[in-house]
Amino acid sequence: MQGFERLAATLCFGWAVIFLLVQYMAARGAAVKDYSTPAGSPLRGMIYAFTTGMLPAHKETVRKHPVKFLIGVTMHGGALFSILVALLLIAFPGMGSIYPPVTIPFLAVCAACGVYLFIRRVFSANLRAMSNFDDYFAAVATAGFIAAAALHEYGTIGTPAFLLISSGLFLYLPLGKLRHALFFFVARADYGRRLGYRGVYPADNRGA
Amino acid sequence: MSPESKSPRDIHSCMDAAKEALKKAAHSLGAYHLNACVRCGLCGETCHIYIADPVPENLPGVKASKVVSFYRRYHTLSGQLLPSLVGARDITPDALDELVETVFGRCTGCGRCGINCSIGLDVGAVMRIGRKIVSAAGKTPPSLCAVVGNQLADGNQMSISPDEVRKTADWICEDLRAEMADDSVTIPVDEHGRRILYLVNPREIKFFPLSLAAAAGVFHAAGESWTVASKFFDVTNYGLFAGDDESAAHITRNVLEEAERLGVEEVILSECGHGYRSFRWEGPNWTAAKYSRPVRSILELMVQYLETHRIKADRTKNLARVTLHDPCNLVRWGGLIEAQRRILRVAVSDFVEMTPNKEQNYCCGGGGGMLSMSEYGERRIASGKIKADQIRATGAKIVATPCHNCADQLIELNKRYKLGVEILSVVELLYNALDRSKAQSPSGPA
């Protein structure tokens, strides 16, 4: 009954993973040797970059824009959760809703955050200056995907329809802006590693 | 290797060279960052240029997107198939001209936006990829090209002759002997077999002899065995700013060969932000080889002198309030954060930090080769206002900075914003504070 939708979602998810990995390998290129003498620990730099380095006390953008940052984090939390729901539905065909009393309000808030980010992009002159069609589309696609997950939890959208919507998102994921789903981690790890190597990270940031 | 010979002959070859430089960047670690920007727009207030002039063109995200758009066009599937939908742009002469204005005129490559990016995008590295593309296309601003040309042709950015170096060293030495009341003070030039080759900024020879004199005074007090070179003495490397790695490697090799020729054990770098970054961190990778001898900043050496009691400082000799400007290339790109603070804590009576400082410091506005590009002079001074405000807030009478490039900019900011401060190097303050009773003889420990 859901055979086609499950197959489509599985293939599209596989495409997303494989194409992201291909892009990662292409970006990685040949192994780059650093000939300079280290002054610190790359590992400690990476750990800092993903932990303390993201806290408001250590990151001015977070400190100055806590609400926007929180909205962004919430939306991303919803997107990750929705992907998880889709993967669970692929793996367990008979699975219904997860726990609607919690998941529906959570996903609704996350989707609302996604809508806010889209509206902000439309109305902010600064954001318009750096945005292209892909940026708007990614915002709509993500907010729509989270909303679809919420509606699936509520029962308005059936599993086949949600899997088809998920397939669309997975298909698009490695092609446009959403590839930062991988490159966020890769870029931050690389940045933390290099600054750790040079002894900049971990930073005590006493001057902030 | 001259700037002229690097200029492509026609538009076609110019575009090809730019694409080739982009291709190289696309298959290096920099490509991680070319793929990562989500254009959230939170980076604006991290940039001193945006703070001074908050137009979208000065947003780090917008600036980075100019470089990223080329990457998308040639190195992503969507950019190749549907360029207009994903903000992918062809490399054209007009697009390159726009890129020149962005990467040279609106960014000092200070990296403050990167360290505060919500994603972790190394915007500074992305902007340098932009500079590499521009450089490959032969469109680097001529004034910056000329400085690189001087370094390649004459061994230093100001084309100072070896004879002038010797004469300057002689008269600085005479003054220093009188000041220290010690006829054994020397400023050795091209001396073989010394322990240290001391690289200086040509500005020290031309305009700031007191800085070289201070270093010589401290070396003498510590009984150091040192020399400067008459030809390849330049601590700066404008290949870094020009995005010209080939020239940067050549300049690095010249100095390394000079150190080899003179048979020194160690190369010590004068106070210079980008000089430290270039020789300490980028140089080994530009030359694709580990150095055969250590390269350190004079700040690290001074800390060693103090910790091993080879010199002693009397902080009551510097009573005025002192604040410290952190050069971006030394601190945020170089990780040399504490040495200058350790020196100031023992050399001055009243040391106050700016806020923010260390890896969160604001660029003075003179970085990235800005001081050499007169076409952006007014923007440079305007972008330094946040630094001027920081200085004023400390109530300091002296601004110490371990970078002659930053010092030049701070001197201009001092005049424009009427700060009423004196700009000094860290070693100058240490020299002022020297407890001469602890001076070693030249034959002392080496």
Side-chain angles (χ1 to χ4, degrees), chain A:
Chain A
M1 199 166 152
Q2 298 168 14
F4 169 74
E5 292 82 0
R6 278 185 66 218
L7 180 65
T10 306
L11 290 176
C12 290
F13 181 72
W15 145 266
V17 170
I18 290 167
F19 197 44
L20 278 176
L21 285 176
V22 166
Q23 289 178 77
Y24 166 71
M25 294 308 291
R28 190 169 184 274
V32 178
K33 181 178 177 179
D34 195 329
Y35 291 94
S36 60
T37 308
S41 159
L43 180 63
R44 286 187 66 206
M46 274 197 280
I47 292 169
Y48 171 84
F50 280 104
T51 54
T52 321
M54 297 180 81
L55 297 176
H58 288 245
K59 196 165 284 296
E60 187 181 281
T61 44
V62 181
R63 193 164 58 248
K64 287 190 172 173
H65 303 280
V67 176
K68 287 174 195 160
F69 188 77
L70 196 63
I71 287 172
V73 169
T74 306
M75 187 277 285
H76 282 88
L80 285 174
F81 184 77
S82 303
I83 289 173
L84 182 69
V85 170
L87 295 179
L88 287 172
L89 288 170
I90 292 171
F92 306 106
M95 193 187 86
S97 300
I98 294 176
Y99 187 56
V102 173
T103 53
I104 291 172
F106 168 67
L107 288 169
V109 169
C110 295
C113 289
V115 171
Y116 165 80
L117 291 174
F118 172 74
I119 292 170
R120 180 170 167 259
R121 190 167 292 283
V122 171
F123 287 101
S124 159
N126 278 348
L127 286 184
R128 278 202 310 275
M130 66 172 83
S131 300
N132 52 66
F133 174 81
D134 183 38
D135 293 300
Y136 299 104
F137 182 75
V140 171
T142 310
F145 176 59
I146 300 169
L151 292 173
H152 176 263
E153 284 290 292
Y154 191 67
T156 310
I157 289 181
T159 297
F162 180 64
L163 286 176
L164 281 179
I165 292 169
S166 302
S167 303
L169 188 93
F170 292 149
L171 204 58
Y172 163 64
L173 199 144
L175 294 174
K177 175 186 177 172
L178 295 188
R179 61 173 167 264
H180 75 264
L182 170 71
F183 283 101
F184 161 76
F185 296 100
V186 172
R188 182 164 280 274
D190 176 57
Y191 197 44
R193 179 188 61 79
R194 281 188 288 117
L195 292 195
Y197 190 88
R198 293 186 180 195
V200 181
Y201 278 178
D204 61 14
N205 209 36
R206 279 172 288 190

Side-chain angles (χ1 to χ4, degrees), chain A residues 27 60-61 65 175 206, chain B residues 28 39 45 78 112 116 358:
Chain A
E60 187 181 281
T61 44
H65 303 280
L175 294 174
R206 279 172 288 190
Chain B
S28 69
R39 294 167 289 287
E45 291 144 332
S78 50
R112 191 170 190 275
N116 283 299
K358 298 181 181 174

Side-chain angles (χ1 to χ4, degrees), chain B residues 71-136:
Chain B
Y71 170 77
R72 283 201 204 108
R73 180 68 184 95
Y74 299 99
H75 298 282
T76 67
L77 183 63
S78 50
Q80 286 169 27
L81 298 177
L82 304 161
S84 59
L85 296 185
V86 294
R89 288 199 313 168
D90 284 314
I91 293 180
T92 63
D94 285 348
L96 279 179
D97 287 342
E98 204 181 302
L99 189 65
V100 171
E101 161 72 10
T102 299
V103 299
F104 287 101
R106 296 183 186 275
C107 178
T108 57
C110 77
R112 191 170 190 275
C113 49
I115 218 154
N116 283 299
C117 173
S118 58
I119 290 288
L121 177 75
D122 189 348
V123 185
V126 170
M127 298 308 279
R128 192 158 190 282
I129 289 171
R131 287 191 178 201
K132 284 183 186 181
I133 292 169
V134 168
S135 171

